[in-house]
Amino acid sequence: MRAPHDQHFLADSNAVEKIAGFTDVNNKRVLEIGPGRGVLTRALLKRGAKVIAVELDSTLIPYLESVFEKEISSGNLTIINGDAIKCNIPPFEKVVANLPYSASSKITFRLIKTGFEEAVLMYQKEFAQRMIALPGTSDCGRLSIMVQTYAKVMPLLELGPESFSPPPEVDSWVVKITPKKELTYPIKDHKLYADIIRVLFSNRRKTVKKGLKNSSSILGEERIKNLLSCLPDEILKKRPQELTLKEFSDISNCA
């Protein structure tokens, strides 16, 4: 796991085994982001996974290629030196990773957009708590709504700083993310839905009505005009964090 300016390697062997065992990876193409020194990589390989490891730090690549030379030559491990936010990634079925703190949000959004069977991911505790914050609560934000729209999130494990070397200044949570087979509420235009959530939460202190009026450059004046005319006052007077998943769906489908 990485902090914004440091590398914090998972050093707790029991935690490594638990994380690798939280989902069945046997004969699965498993994406690992930020393998670091490869302790989780090895645990996944032992469980029969075919691992695609994406590592941003180029100084770690020679080490990983040396340690896992056999697994690479057999085709069980592919190492990519790149940024998981934007680099090309081969097809995968599951994700098991200790995500970089600083890129957690962007990577999570990319994974949800790409699609997967199941993901076991480690986050900074406060980030994971925002992810599971219920709609209508003060901690609810763009992350909460986007993740909960498309997936179910279950906390699995909490780890303190002592589980890492060197220890970070924060606690960490491991969560399981399982995409929904069917959305709880229908969405006509998924890009528009994401755009509306983004613009509303960028104006989270304003009412929905004011937030929409401030977003003509993104949503377009005609669309905003339609929204303001068809949405009930009950929704327009709320702030974004007060809206339910159904209400976000209603706003998007009304546009």
Side-chain angles (χ1 to χ4, degrees):
M1 171 177 293
R2 304 183 199 297
H5 304 293
D6 300 301
Q7 294 182 350
H8 301 282
F9 298 108
L10 185 59
D12 184 335
S13 57
N14 289 330
V16 171
E17 293 302 314
K18 286 181 180 179
I19 294 168
F22 277 138
T23 185
D24 183 7
V25 298
N26 188 37
N27 290 321
K28 295 287 187 179
R29 297 187 300 272
V30 179
L31 173 64
E32 183 189 9
I33 298 167
R37 293 172 180 161
V39 291
L40 181 56
T41 313
R42 186 171 299 283
L44 292 169
L45 289 167
K46 285 182 178 179
R47 285 169 169 76
K50 294 189 179 298
V51 179
I52 302 163
V54 179
E55 176 56 59
L56 178 62
D57 188 347
S58 59
T59 64
L60 289 171
I61 301 300
Y63 171 81
L64 291 169
E65 290 176 339
S66 173
V67 170
F68 293 105
E69 183 178 359
K70 181 179 177 182
E71 290 79 4
I72 293 171
S73 62
S74 68
N76 290 327
L77 173 62
T78 301
I79 298 175
I80 299 171
N81 181 200
D83 185 345
I85 295 173
K86 58 187 177 182
C87 73
N88 291 327
I89 300 174
F92 58 91
E93 295 158 305
K94 295 195 174 185
V95 192
V96 181
N98 305 331
L99 293 181
Y101 286 156
S102 57
S104 293
S105 183
K106 290 182 178 179
I107 291 175
T108 301
F109 286 135
R110 181 180 184 185
L111 290 175
I112 288 174
K113 184 177 180 180
T114 303
F116 52 87
E117 289 181 10
E118 196 168 63
V120 175
L121 301 171
M122 185 184 296
Y123 296 99
Q124 184 176 333
K125 180 179 178 179
E126 289 77 9
F127 183 93
Q129 287 175 324
R130 293 202 309 274
M131 186 182 293
I132 64 172
L134 295 176
T137 65
S138 59
D139 289 335
C140 181
R142 179 188 174 210
L143 175 71
S144 320
I145 297 300
M146 285 298 294
V147 172
Q148 292 174 41
T149 294
Y150 295 103
K152 297 179 181 179
V153 185
M154 179 188 300
L156 298 172
L157 180 67
E158 180 170 345
L159 295 173
E162 68 279 0
S163 295
F164 302 87
S165 177
E169 295 181 356
V170 296
D171 291 335
S172 302
W173 267 18
V174 179
V175 305
K176 179 181 287 186
I177 301 178
T178 308
K180 295 178 180 178
K181 293 181 180 179
E182 291 186 9
L183 297 186
T184 310
Y185 304 103
I187 298 170
K188 293 179 183 178
D189 184 330
H190 293 272
K191 182 183 182 302
L192 176 60
Y193 181 80
D195 286 343
I196 286 174
I197 290 171
R198 178 163 53 86
V199 299
L200 287 180
F201 277 107
S202 67
N203 293 277
R204 66 178 294 136
R205 293 187 179 183
K206 295 181 171 62
T207 62
V208 170
K209 184 175 183 178
K210 290 182 178 179
L212 289 173
K213 284 184 174 180
N214 287 346
S215 307
S216 58
S217 62
I218 298 173
L219 300 178
E221 290 185 9
E222 188 64 29
R223 178 170 283 149
I224 290 172
K225 183 179 178 180
N226 291 338
L227 280 169
L228 295 177
S229 65
C230 78
L231 289 173
D233 285 343
E234 177 186 355
I235 288 180
L236 291 173
K237 291 178 179 178
K238 287 186 176 181
R239 286 174 172 75
Q241 62 270 28
E242 297 171 334
L243 296 171
T244 64
L245 287 180
K246 182 181 184 305
E247 287 171 327
F248 277 109
S249 172
D250 290 343
I251 294 171
S252 173
N253 292 339
C254 184

